[in-house]
Amino acid sequence: MQDALIRKLESFQELTNEDRGALNALVPRFRNVGPHIDLIREGEPPNDIHLILDGYACRYKVLPNGQRQIMAYMVPGDFCDLNVFILDQMDHNIGTITACQVVDIPRHAIEAVMVDRTSITQAVWRCALVDEAILREWLVNIGGRPANQRIGHLMCELLLRLEAVGGVQNNSYSFPFTQADIADTMGLSNVHVNRTLQELRAMELIELKRRVLTILDIERLKNYCGFNPNYLHLKNSRWSTGRSVPWLSSGSGG
């Protein structure tokens, strides 16, 4: 996954060989971080920008009663905190879900590349805008969809995001999330998550074995949960056509 960042940015913007060389210079080395470790905590000053090269991380907050709310997943190629360094301190936590390869990029290095390389600047800003679009879609997901459709929608999103960086084979990808992780993401109980996963299996929409998720029927799952990939703005995705999505015309299905 060493080229995850380049693949991610090229899903938004065409890059030259010089652009790729400048990006490679940003990641001369990475560090290995174990699972369930905070990369940065709420209240700490954000000095470096964290880039995930491999593994999964998340953005989350903890309520006074100890309840966790996950607000975003980061996959290979994702910046965890691209614009946060503008602020004096973090207002949320960023932690690993699995073991990760993480690059700590000084803010001045990102700023210098963006000054010199217009294409990289455009791609990076597209990344930031898509992060906001994903957050909006997650709000709609939690507030407007029933539990089974929420989880199915997340599965479709991850498939497309991981496919963009080479993390999908035969509609299968790593799905290391526990039922507690999904519950803290979707605003559900562990019991409800378990029941929903069983329902999606029974409908023969998914298969989940040894932390690997296979989507058995992509069109049916998209139709079932009303998934429209337009908010991800991926140029080269097999799902993104820039037109209306025919399989949404009959409603959300289910």
Side-chain angles (χ1 to χ4, degrees):
M1 302 300 287
Q2 291 292 331
D3 63 344
L5 174 60
I6 292 174
R7 295 186 68 154
K8 167 75 178 290
L9 296 183
E10 287 190 321
S11 67
F12 300 125
Q13 177 73 36
E14 184 175 349
L15 300 176
T16 65
N17 289 333
E18 290 77 12
D19 293 330
R20 298 184 191 99
L23 290 169
N24 283 329
L26 291 176
V27 291
R29 63 183 62 88
F30 60 84
R31 60 188 173 104
N32 292 309
V33 181
H36 313 302
I37 293 177
D38 286 332
L39 300 177
I40 189 167
R41 295 184 176 91
E42 185 172 357
E44 293 181 348
N47 297 317
D48 293 332
I49 297 168
H50 299 94
L51 167 69
I52 303 298
L53 284 185
D54 196 14
Y56 294 78
C58 70
R59 182 176 290 115
Y60 73 97
K61 289 184 74 81
V62 177
L63 301 179
N65 64 1
Q67 179 181 342
R68 178 182 64 161
Q69 179 65 52
I70 294 176
M71 301 169 292
Y73 287 142
M74 274 74 77
V75 304
D78 284 350
F79 292 107
C80 297
D81 40 17
L82 185 58
N83 296 319
V84 173
F85 66 77
I86 297 173
L87 304 176
D88 294 330
Q89 64 177 8
M90 294 290 293
D91 55 29
H92 60 275
N93 308 287
I94 296 174
T96 60
I97 292 176
T98 66
C100 288
Q101 293 178 355
V102 181
V103 180
D104 304 310
I105 306 175
R107 59 180 292 181
H108 65 81
I110 286 285
E111 291 171 341
V113 167
M114 291 177 67
V115 167
D116 293 338
R117 297 285 170 187
T118 302
S119 294
I120 292 178
T121 301
Q122 293 177 352
V124 167
W125 284 122
R126 285 175 182 267
C127 282
L129 292 171
V130 169
D131 285 347
E132 294 180 6
I134 290 173
L135 178 58
R136 288 192 294 270
E137 194 68 23
W138 279 36
L139 289 173
V140 172
N141 207 28
I142 293 175
R145 294 187 178 100
N148 45 9
Q149 292 183 17
R150 290 182 212 175
I151 295 175
H153 195 280
L154 175 65
M155 291 172 171
C156 287
E157 177 187 299
L158 288 174
L159 177 72
L160 199 151
R161 289 172 62 190
L162 287 164
E163 188 175 63
V165 296
V168 173
Q169 291 187 345
N170 299 320
N171 298 328
S172 298
Y173 60 90
S174 173
F175 195 84
F177 311 103
T178 65
Q179 291 183 14
D181 291 333
I182 300 173
D184 290 347
T185 303
M186 297 286 107
L188 302 168
S189 68
N190 289 2
V191 172
H192 205 156
V193 170
N194 181 273
R195 185 165 59 243
T196 299
L197 291 175
Q198 294 300 330
E199 179 181 342
L200 293 173
R201 285 188 178 105
M203 295 175 66
E204 298 184 346
L205 293 174
I206 67 164
E207 182 178 82
L208 186 56
K209 291 182 177 179
R210 300 182 182 89
R211 305 290 186 184
V212 174
L213 175 73
T214 302
I215 298 182
L216 301 175
D217 192 325
I218 293 176
E219 291 302 319
R220 281 184 60 219
L221 183 61
K222 289 193 303 183
N223 202 22
Y224 178 70
C225 64
F227 183 79
N228 185 334
N230 65 346
Y231 68 100
L232 295 173
H233 300 279
L234 296 173
K235 290 196 315 177
N236 301 320
S237 169
R238 56 176 160 154
W239 297 0
S240 300
T241 63
R243 302 186 297 273
S244 60
V245 184
W247 44 262
L248 287 175
S249 61
S250 60
S252 61

